[in-house]
Amino acid sequence: MGSVTSTMAAKFAFFPPNPPSYRVEEEEEGAAGKLRMTEVAERDNVDVLRLGTKKGTQIVAVYVKNPAAKLTLLYSHGNAADLGQMYDLFSELSLHLRVNLLGYDYSGYGQSTGKASEQNTYADIEAAYRCLVEKYGAKEEDIILYGQSVGSGPTLDLASRLSRLRAVVLHSPIMSGLRVMYPVKRTYWFDIYKNIDKIPLVQCPVLVIHGTADDVVDCSHGKQLWELCKEKYEPLWVKGGNHCDLELYPEYIKHLKKFIAAIEKSSHFRDGHKPSTDKLDDARNSTDCRPRPSTDQREKSRLSTDQREKRKAASDLREKSRASVEKKEGSRKSVDYAEKANNSAEQPERARNSIDRFGEMMRSAVLCNIDCFKPAGARV
């Protein structure tokens, strides 16, 4: 019964793009074993990697270098996306935030081997983190974990086990897989990505970004996770923002840049130097994010996340899962990052001087219409 239920839960969560949006090839010239991605623009500051995980799979990752970087972002992307679709966004984030950035595809996504599962994603992010430390010499205290949507699961799992992380960013996060589909008030043992139980264990500052009009993962998920954070940073509730379009709002990149600048100035917040959050109470009280009555009960912090509720039966899984939307219609690689100068639309230089232009550049992207938790076999 248990394994069947766990398998059922997993099938609601993972939708790798099919076919993948890119391929990986070995470069013929020079450096033996050097990899390149097809279907994306080649950049000198990007390394393409294959990483082995403790589950025996090989995942693909990209490392975007910024010579001015002091910090490194480890980005876990959302559902129904792969590295080919995230590639341009990763490059722009590295550029504008002045960070190194490592993004990776989960097992079964893109050109990564194996199958997608909750436990595999935990092994995947561990392999990516190990690569940052061992290959690129990144220190734990200089790494920021960034989790988008389903990516908030592996992000919080790793963050809950690292005591010296610099910070965490949660972008349209989920409280748990089951809570996206059902208005449950407690955590069942067969649930996946029990973020609501792990967030109190995170020791570093946490920034939460969520759209108030998110019709896939209700904004109450982000709000409740933020309320359970030990080290709260001023959250960003994007008014009118949906699940897959937050990058198009100017306040998204502005707030991220402010956040990065704040944590760069502090050696470590847990040494008594918390970030400046003068508007923290206002943010809490003025948010347009109104949680559903069934999910507005604040869960108590839990010390254990993996050995709870195993005796509870799956008796209230009779409701039909809510239809949501996570079918990737298009990709971010169509984004035009050209900087317009002297009315020349063909100018090849990317905009580098103004953060305000990030939103303008991103508006040429084709928005996704993603159903994060549609049951397997349902029409997409």
Side-chain angles (χ1 to χ4, degrees):
M1 173 68 176
S3 61
V4 172
T5 311
S6 298
T7 302
M8 180 184 70
K11 285 183 178 179
F12 279 83
F14 303 106
F15 291 90
N18 187 19
S21 68
Y22 69 96
R23 291 179 294 110
V24 175
E25 298 176 346
E26 257 189 53
E27 290 189 351
E28 296 180 1
E29 300 178 4
K34 189 173 182 181
L35 303 176
R36 60 181 292 270
M37 287 177 63
T38 66
E39 317 304 326
V40 298
E42 288 194 57
R43 294 187 171 96
D44 291 337
N45 67 324
V46 176
D47 293 341
V48 180
L49 311 161
R50 278 200 180 100
L51 309 175
T53 77
K54 66 182 183 182
K55 294 287 188 178
T57 63
Q58 292 279 323
I59 62 171
V60 179
V62 293
Y63 181 74
V64 186
K65 293 167 280 190
N66 186 319
K70 296 178 181 178
L71 302 173
T72 299
L73 208 66
L74 175 50
Y75 196 115
S76 300
H77 62 66
N79 210 356
D82 65 18
L83 286 181
Q85 296 168 337
M86 302 298 294
Y87 184 86
D88 283 332
L89 177 63
F90 287 169
S91 296
E92 291 301 314
L93 287 175
S94 173
L95 173 67
H96 288 289
L97 299 178
R98 293 195 308 174
V99 295
N100 300 315
L101 188 150
L102 189 141
Y104 64 100
D105 264 340
Y106 310 118
S107 297
Y109 278 68
Q111 297 298 330
S112 296
T113 65
K115 293 183 179 180
S117 73
E118 179 188 15
Q119 295 303 317
N120 276 352
T121 61
Y122 295 158
D124 297 338
I125 195 173
E126 286 177 8
Y129 175 78
R130 188 170 62 249
C131 172
L132 284 179
V133 173
E134 296 177 358
K135 181 177 176 64
Y136 294 103
K139 298 179 181 179
E140 179 180 334
E141 54 267 29
D142 292 330
I143 293 175
I144 301 169
L145 300 187
Y146 188 117
Q148 179 181 7
S149 187
V150 170
S152 61
T155 291
L156 282 176
D157 183 75
L158 182 60
S160 69
R161 295 182 283 115
L162 295 176
S163 62
R164 299 192 310 276
L165 271 179
R166 194 58 166 268
V168 168
V169 179
L170 299 178
H171 176 150
S172 306
I174 64 174
M175 288 191 285
S176 76
L178 192 59
R179 282 173 171 85
V180 176
M181 299 184 293
Y182 301 97
V184 297
K185 300 178 182 179
R186 62 187 181 187
T187 301
Y188 293 88
W189 66 265
F190 52 81
D191 200 354
I192 63 173
Y193 296 133
K194 305 176 184 74
N195 292 340
I196 194 169
D197 302 324
K198 297 177 184 180
I199 190 71
L201 306 177
V202 176
Q203 302 298 316
C204 62
V206 178
L207 164 63
V208 178
I209 303 172
H210 214 123
T212 63
D214 194 325
D215 58 4
V216 176
V217 179
D218 190 79
C219 186
S220 58
H221 286 248
K223 181 181 179 183
Q224 194 157 351
L225 289 172
W226 180 77
E227 288 175 344
L228 291 171
C229 293
K230 281 186 176 179
E231 295 272 1
K232 296 177 174 65
Y233 186 85
E234 179 185 354
L236 176 61
W237 312 122
V238 182
K239 188 173 182 180
N242 210 309
H243 193 63
C244 301
D245 63 358
L246 301 189
E247 298 92 339
L248 304 186
Y249 288 79
E251 55 263 43
Y252 166 81
I253 193 64
K254 288 181 181 178
H255 201 80
L256 269 178
K257 189 174 185 183
K258 176 184 174 184
F259 176 65
I260 297 295
I263 63 174
E264 278 184 347
K265 293 177 182 177
S266 176
S267 59
H268 210 290
F269 292 118
R270 294 193 304 279
D271 293 334
H273 302 92
K274 292 186 179 182
S276 175
T277 54
D278 295 337
K279 299 181 181 179
L280 204 57
D281 291 334
D282 291 341
R284 181 189 294 114
N285 297 327
S286 65
T287 176
D288 290 330
C289 168
R290 294 185 175 88
R292 302 183 186 92
S294 59
T295 58
D296 197 25
Q297 302 297 322
R298 179 168 176 169
E299 299 277 354
K300 295 181 179 179
S301 302
R302 300 171 177 86
L303 298 179
S304 169
T305 62
D306 294 321
Q307 298 179 354
R308 296 181 305 98
E309 304 267 311
K310 291 191 176 181
R311 296 184 299 273
K312 291 185 171 59
S315 58
D316 45 346
L317 287 182
R318 295 176 183 173
E319 298 179 46
K320 294 182 179 178
S321 78
R322 255 184 286 166
S324 359
V325 233
E326 195 163 309
K327 193 170 18 171
K328 200 80 173 177
E329 294 180 350
S331 71
R332 300 183 193 277
K333 65 182 179 181
S334 63
V335 180
D336 179 7
Y337 295 112
E339 178 180 0
K340 296 180 181 179
N342 299 323
N343 296 322
S344 174
E346 299 299 324
Q347 179 70 23
E349 188 69 21
R350 292 183 307 198
R352 296 176 181 271
N353 297 324
S354 172
I355 260 320
D356 293 338
R357 297 200 55 172
F358 186 92
E360 177 185 342
M361 291 186 292
M362 290 300 296
R363 288 186 190 282
S364 61
V366 179
L367 298 187
C368 63
N369 185 21
I370 293 178
D371 190 344
C372 290
F373 297 93
K374 187 186 291 289
R379 289 187 61 191
V380 293

